Every structure is written in C-alpha cells, then in structure tokens.
C-alpha cells in the first residue's frame, strides 16, 4: 500500500496483515506519510499456505521467510516493524543480518524475546485444549481470537514449535534506532521499557491499551508515522 520509502510490516500471532495494519488505518496513515507498506501474511496465517507437513516448519523459518521477502523485493534501504510475534521475528531477522534503517518492535518486551519458549508453550496448550477452554480460563482470550480468525490450529501448532528464543547477548546486534511501541496495559510479552533499555538505541514509546486493544488505537499508527518519519 502506498508509494515511497519501503516499510515492511509483520503481523502478530494468529493475526493477519489485514487485521494488524489495514483494518484500523495504520497502513493508510503510513502510506499518506510517504511509505510503501509491504505486509506479508506469515506462514500458517491469513492468505499464506497452512501446510500440515512438519518439514515445512524448520527452526527459524519465520526469520528465513522475512529475509526471503526482503531479498525478493531487493530492499537495501528500508524500514521494518513488527507486532508481537512479528516483532520477535523482526528482531531475530536483524540479529541474523537484516539491516533496516529504523526498526519498531511493537507489543514486545524483554521476556518475549529471551523467554519465548514459555510464551509459546501457553499457546500450544491453548491449541491442545481448544475444545475444553471455558470463559475464565487464562487461555480463553487466545481461544476466542483463534476462533475469530479461523486459525488452522494444526498448522499453527507446527509453526509455534519452529520459533526459537533470542539470546540476550544478541540484542547488542540491534544497533539501529529502535522504537518499543507498547500499550500502557500490555505486559503479555514482558516489559517493553526493559527491552528498550537493553538495546543500544532503544526508545520506549507508550500508547493506550492492552496487548489486544492497542493495535486498534489511532495512537498506534500515529506513533509509527512519527518514528519512521524522523
């Protein structure tokens, strides 16, 4: 969407590019500000393939997919942003060699990178117990979102097993200006403030909302525009 400076936007777990970036107007704001938004659907999500073949989900596959996307569009001077799992994928992509001018890690805290296995286990459990989860269960919101988004649970479970933790010492490789954009009530992936402090050039930028509601806030798109326009 849009014309101008390339900006790759990577959505979160169980979501889509449409849900995270288009539905609430964030991509339109970025396009109006002079960016060309490139918004993939992650493997096992949205319009992308949802294979039930475990061989399609080797470790680190999302990072490899992101790198392949950058290579496909021959991007050399671009920006990068991700929300939640998309933020984790973007951070790992930079650690593995991607070099965007500026980076935004949204809905992400320090524990969401270095302690991903615990977070992943929560969602795998929600998939395994899907039919028995009732209101009041800690996994009820995850179940509800999976149902709303029509998630292929078998494919999603395979994908979750392919995501690795980010080593704390590797955060030093994320040297470009990095915005940690996070809802004021969002602690789902740990502390965004602590992650900002752990990065060489981390900048915490608070918006209203929880992990689920912050992506619907106009402030989300405004903050992205402000950061990438600097």
């Amino acid at each position: 969407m849009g014309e101008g400076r390339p900006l790759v936007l990577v959505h979160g777990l169980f979501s889509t590019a449409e849900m995270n970036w288009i539905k609430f107007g964030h991509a339109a704001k970025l396009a109006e500000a002079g960016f060309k938004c490139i918004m993939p659907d992650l493997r096992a999500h949205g319009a992308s393939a949802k294979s039930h073949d475990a061989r399609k989900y080797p470790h680190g596959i999302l990072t490899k997919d992101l790198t392949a996307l950058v290579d496909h569009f021959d991007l050399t001077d671009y920006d990068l942003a991700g929300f939640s799992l998309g933020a984790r994928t973007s951070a790992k992509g930079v650690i593995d060699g991607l070099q965007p001018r500026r980076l935004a890690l949204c809905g992400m805290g320090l524990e969401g990178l270095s302690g991903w296995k615990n977070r992943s286990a929560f969602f795998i459990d929600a998939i395994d117990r899907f039919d028995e989860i009732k209101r009041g269960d800690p996994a009820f919101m995850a179940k509800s979102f999976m149902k709303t988004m029509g998630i292929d649970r078998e494919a999603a479970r395979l994908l979750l097993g392919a995501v690795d933790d980010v080593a704390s010492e590797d955060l030093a490789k994320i040297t470009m200006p990095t915005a940690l954009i996070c809802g004021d009530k969002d602690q789902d992936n740990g502390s965004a403030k602590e992650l900002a402090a752990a990065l060489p050039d981390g900048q915490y930028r608070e918006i209203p909302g929880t992990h689920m509601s912050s992506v619907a806030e106009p402030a989300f798109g405004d903050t992205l525009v402000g950061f990438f326009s600097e």
Side-chain angles (χ1 to χ4, degrees):
M1 181 185 294
E3 298 294 333
R5 180 175 182 79
L7 170 57
V8 180
L9 301 170
V10 190
H11 69 77
L13 181 66
F14 304 148
S15 193
T16 61
E18 168 70 30
M19 176 61 74
N20 270 176
W21 309 118
I22 299 173
K23 181 177 181 179
F24 301 106
H26 311 317
K29 287 180 180 179
L30 287 159
E32 185 177 353
F35 293 91
K36 180 180 181 179
C37 299
I38 301 169
M39 301 170 282
D41 280 346
L42 295 174
R43 187 174 295 231
H45 291 75
S48 289
K50 304 171 183 66
S51 175
H52 292 177
D53 182 351
R55 292 172 296 180
K56 299 292 186 181
Y57 303 93
H59 284 293
I61 188 58
L62 290 184
T63 306
K64 293 172 183 174
D65 284 345
L66 178 58
T67 299
L69 182 81
V70 170
D71 290 344
H72 173 77
F73 286 104
D74 195 24
L75 302 180
T76 56
D77 185 16
Y78 65 98
D79 295 316
L80 175 62
F83 179 79
S84 196
L85 178 59
R88 189 233 163 269
T89 302
S90 298
K92 190 65 166 63
V94 170
I95 289 167
D96 288 351
L98 292 180
Q99 296 182 314
R101 178 189 64 111
R102 297 173 80 82
L103 173 68
L105 304 178
C106 312
M108 181 53 61
L110 188 59
E111 295 87 342
L113 293 182
S114 61
W116 169 256
K117 287 183 180 178
N118 293 331
R119 188 79 173 135
S120 178
F122 172 82
F123 291 115
I124 290 174
D125 174 70
I127 289 170
D128 291 346
R129 296 191 301 112
F130 187 88
D131 292 330
E132 63 190 66
I133 295 172
K134 307 296 183 185
R135 189 177 298 276
D137 190 298
F140 182 77
M141 188 171 291
K143 172 186 175 175
S144 298
F145 191 55
M146 281 191 277
K147 187 174 181 179
T148 297
M149 298 302 295
I151 290 298
D152 183 317
R153 299 197 301 276
E154 185 174 346
R157 196 185 194 287
L158 288 169
L159 180 66
L160 283 164
V163 181
D164 295 325
D165 279 339
V166 172
S168 297
E169 57 269 23
D170 283 342
L171 295 178
K173 298 177 181 177
I174 304 176
T175 57
M176 65 285 299
T178 303
L180 285 304
I181 303 172
C182 195
D184 57 355
K185 298 179 181 64
D186 182 2
Q187 290 287 322
D188 281 26
N189 284 306
S191 172
K193 289 181 180 179
E194 289 182 9
L195 181 53
L199 296 175
D201 193 0
Q203 309 167 23
Y204 174 68
R205 304 202 176 187
E206 186 174 279
I207 60 174
T210 64
H211 194 67
M212 293 295 290
S213 70
S214 60
V215 294
E217 291 285 343
F220 186 27
D222 293 340
T223 304
L224 287 166
V225 169
F227 173 69
F228 286 116
S229 296
E230 290 178 4

